[in-house]
C-alpha cells in the first residue's frame, strides 16, 4: 500500500515521504495497530511520540535515543500521513480515518500569495495532524566568528578553499554545490545563455548524478546547443571565480569523464565526484581541529541570508533571489532581525524610556 501511494508522488517527494512512512509503519505493530485499524487519535499519538505537542498519553517510548523531529519535519510527516491514509480511503481501506482528514479552513494571507488566483480563494484543505506553526525570527545556527578566514588559512588544497569561498559568498546548499556540473558554470560576462550579464551559475536538479547529490529547488532547465539554460540562477563573486580557476588549473583531473565540478583528490576514489557526506566531514573535522566548534555547510547559508538581508536594508525580495529561497516570507521569518546595537534601535528605545540618545 505504501508503494502504491509513493508511486503517485514525484521523485523528490516520494523519497522524503518514504523515510517518514517507514518510521510510522514500524510504530504501528509496536503499538499493536495496523494501517487498517489505526484511528485519527492513534495518529495524533504518533505525532506526539516523534516530537509534536500532544495533550494526552503518548504510549510507550518511541525512537529512544533519537532527537524529536524539527518543525519542518513534523509538517512534512503530517502531510505524508494524510496523503497515505487518503490514498487508502480511496481504495476502500480504513475510510473512517480518510474521512476525518476532509476538513477545510479559511485561507491565510500566505495561502493567497502562493495561489495563482489567490484573491478568489474561499477555503483550504486542513490537516488535523499538522503541528502549530512556530515562527523563528533569527536563526541561531551561524558559523563561528571568523570561520572563513581560519578555514582558508588552514586548508591546503585549492578545492577545499574553493568550497569554503563558494559556501560563504554564494549561500549554496551543499547538495547544490556537490551536484554542480562544469556546464552549469557561466563565470564570465555576457555568457551565451543570455539570462544574466555577469558571472553566474545555473543550479539544475538531476536525479542521475554519480554521487547522488540533488538540489532542493527543482526548476525547469535545458541544454541548447551545448549551453545550459534555466534552472535557478545564482550570481558568482570575483573571489568565487578566482578560487574556481585556481582549482581547475592545479587539481582538477584532465581525464574526468563525469563532468562534475568537485572531485576526490586522493585515494582509490581519486577523480570520482565528491559527495555531500565528504564535504560535511571535511568541515566537521576542521572545526574541531581548529577549536572552532561544530562547522556545518548550511551555517554559511544562514550567514549569507542574514548578511544580504542586512545589506539590502531589510529587503526580503533581494535576499530571496540572492540565495534562492522559495519565498520572501521565509527569509523574513528566519533571518529578519534587528541589531540591538544599531543606532536607530538605541534611539527608539531611548525615546520610549524617556532618555536622551
Amino acid at each position: 500500500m505504501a508503494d502504491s501511494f509513493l508511486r503517485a508522488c514525484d521523485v523528490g517527494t516520494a523519497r522524503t515521504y518514504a523515510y517518514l512512512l517507514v518510521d510510522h509503519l514500524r510504530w504501528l505493530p509496536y503499538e499493536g495497530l495496523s494501517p487498517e485499524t489505526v484511528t485519527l487519535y492513534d495518529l495524533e499519538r504518533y505525532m506526539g511520540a516523534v516530537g509534536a505537542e500532544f495533550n494526552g498519553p503518548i504510549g510507550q517510548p518511541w525512537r529512544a535515543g533519537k532527537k524529536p523531529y524539527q518543525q519542518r519535519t513534523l509538517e512534512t510527516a503530517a502531510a505524508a500521513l494524510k496523503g497515505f491514509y487518503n490514498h487508502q480511503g480511496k481504495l476502500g481501506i480504513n475510510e473512517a480515518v480518510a474521512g476525518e482528514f476532509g476538513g477545510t479552513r479559511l485561507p491565510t494571507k500566505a495561502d493567497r500569495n502562493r495561489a495563482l488566483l489567490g484573491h478568489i480563494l474561499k477555503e483550504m484543505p486542513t490537516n488535523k495532524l499538522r503541528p502549530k506553526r512556530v515562527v523563528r525570527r533569527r536563526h541561531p545556527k551561524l558559523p563561528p566568528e571568523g570561520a572563513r578566514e581560519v578555514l582558508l588559512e588552514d586548508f591546503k588544497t585549492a578545492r577545499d578553499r574553493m568550497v569554503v569561498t563558494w559556501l560563504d559568498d554564494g549561500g549554496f546548499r551543499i547538495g547544490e554545490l556537490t551536484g554542480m556540473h562544469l556546464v552549469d558554470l557561466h563565470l564570465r560576462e555576457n555568457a551565451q545563455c543570455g539570462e544574466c550579464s555577469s558571472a553566474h551559475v545555473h543550479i539544475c536538479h538531476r536525479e542521475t548524478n554519480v554521487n547522488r547529490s540533488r538540489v532542493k529547488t527543482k526548476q525547469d532547465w535545458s541544454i541548447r546547443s551545448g549551453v545550459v539554460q534555466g534552472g535557478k540562477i545564482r550570481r558568482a563573486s570575483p573571489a568565487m571565480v578566482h578560487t574556481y580557476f585556481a582549482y581547475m588549473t592545479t587539481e582538477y583531473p584532465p581525464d574526468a569523464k563525469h563532468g562534475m565540478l568537485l572531485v576526490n583528490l586522493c585515494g582509490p576514489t581519486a577523480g570520482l565526484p565528491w559527495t555531500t557526506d565528504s564535504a560535511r566531514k571535511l568541515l566537521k573535522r576542521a572545526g574541531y581541529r581548529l577549536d572552532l566548534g561544530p562547522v556545518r555547510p548550511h551555517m554559511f547559508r544562514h550567514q549569507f541570508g542574514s548578511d544580504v538581508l542586512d545589506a539590502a536594508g531589510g529587503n526580503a525580495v533581494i535576499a530571496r533571489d540572492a540565495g534562492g529561497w522559495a519565498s520572501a516570507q521565509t527569509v523574513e521569518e528566519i533571518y529578519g532581525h534587528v541589531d540591538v546595537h544599531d543606532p536607530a534601535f538605541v534611539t527608539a528605545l531611548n525615546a520610549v524610556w524617556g532618555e536622551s540618545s
Side-chain angles (χ1 to χ4, degrees):
M1 183 58 66
D3 288 344
S4 174
F5 163 62
L6 294 172
R7 278 194 292 268
C9 305
D10 64 47
V11 176
T13 302
R15 185 181 299 109
T16 303
Y17 281 6
Y19 285 116
L20 299 171
L21 281 177
V22 163
D23 190 69
H24 172 66
L25 294 174
R26 288 173 177 165
W27 175 84
L28 290 175
Y30 187 80
E31 292 287 323
L33 300 168
S34 70
E36 293 78 20
T37 61
V38 70
T39 65
L40 184 65
Y41 180 75
D42 293 325
L43 298 181
E44 291 174 341
R45 286 197 304 114
Y46 169 73
M47 292 297 293
V50 295
E53 184 177 347
F54 176 71
N55 297 322
I58 295 174
Q60 300 182 59
W62 175 245
R63 303 177 76 250
K66 296 183 179 180
K67 294 181 180 180
Y69 289 167
Q70 297 297 316
Q71 175 75 17
R72 291 293 180 86
T73 309
L74 288 171
E75 293 174 1
T76 307
L81 293 178
K82 178 180 178 179
F84 174 64
Y85 285 102
N86 278 340
H87 178 75
Q88 277 202 140
K90 292 176 183 177
L91 300 179
I93 302 172
N94 205 346
E95 294 177 283
V97 169
E100 292 189 74
F101 280 113
T104 60
R105 59 176 173 81
L106 293 174
T108 64
K109 182 179 179 181
D111 293 326
R112 296 184 186 279
N113 290 339
R114 282 192 293 264
L116 177 62
L117 299 176
H119 61 287
I120 64 173
L121 278 181
K122 294 184 178 180
E123 60 182 26
M124 294 287 292
T126 188
N127 187 346
K128 295 181 180 180
L129 299 180
R130 183 186 176 97
K132 184 178 180 182
R133 183 169 179 80
V134 178
V135 177
R136 300 169 296 170
R137 293 297 173 185
R138 168 67 169 159
H139 205 289
K141 298 181 180 179
L142 298 176
E145 190 73 25
R148 171 174 175 162
E149 290 73 19
V150 174
L151 290 172
L152 289 178
E153 183 178 354
D154 178 75
F155 286 158
K156 305 304 179 186
T157 67
R159 180 203 62 188
D160 296 347
R161 289 193 291 270
M162 186 187 87
V163 167
V164 173
T165 303
W166 281 52
L167 288 174
D168 196 54
D169 277 5
F172 292 96
R173 299 179 178 93
I174 192 60
E176 296 172 346
L177 192 55
T178 57
M180 201 167 288
H181 287 238
L182 296 177
V183 295
D184 301 335
L185 312 180
H186 294 166
L187 302 181
R188 61 182 180 84
E189 294 185 353
N190 302 315
Q192 288 182 324
C193 68
E195 295 178 284
C196 182
S197 60
S198 56
H200 64 279
V201 302
H202 294 255
I203 299 175
C204 306
H205 174 76
R206 296 178 175 92
E207 284 290 336
T208 56
N209 283 335
V210 180
N211 61 358
R212 304 180 66 182
S213 292
R214 303 176 185 90
V215 306
K216 182 178 181 181
T217 304
K218 304 175 182 63
Q219 294 195 2
D220 293 337
W221 63 279
S222 61
I223 297 181
R224 300 176 185 174
S225 302
V227 179
V228 170
Q229 294 185 320
K232 193 71 178 178
I233 295 176
R234 199 81 60 82
R235 289 277 302 274
S237 70
M240 290 168 61
V241 177
H242 175 75
T243 55
Y244 163 78
F245 281 108
Y247 163 62
M248 292 298 296
T249 56
T250 59
E251 296 175 353
Y252 194 82
D255 57 345
K257 305 296 183 183
H258 47 72
M260 300 194 72
L261 174 62
L262 297 175
V263 300
N264 291 310
L265 299 179
C266 58
T269 59
L272 295 180
W274 211 39
T275 64
T276 57
D277 189 49
S278 297
R280 291 189 179 98
K281 288 180 178 178
L282 169 77
L283 294 174
K284 182 179 179 180
R285 290 193 302 267
Y288 287 114
R289 183 176 68 250
L290 301 170
D291 294 327
L292 294 172
V295 178
R296 304 181 185 89
H298 214 70
M299 289 179 171
F300 293 97
R301 180 167 173 80
H302 295 315
Q303 185 68 66
F304 178 81
S306 297
D307 291 344
V308 173
L309 192 61
D310 287 343
N315 190 323
V317 175
I318 293 177
R320 177 200 66 188
D321 292 342
W325 279 275
S327 67
Q329 182 182 4
T330 300
V331 176
E332 289 178 337
E333 289 180 354
I334 296 179
Y335 304 103
H337 66 282
V338 174
D339 183 358
V340 295
H341 300 293
D342 186 274
F345 184 81
V346 174
T347 300
L349 279 182
N350 287 337
V352 172
W353 296 336
E355 301 287 338
S356 58
S357 298

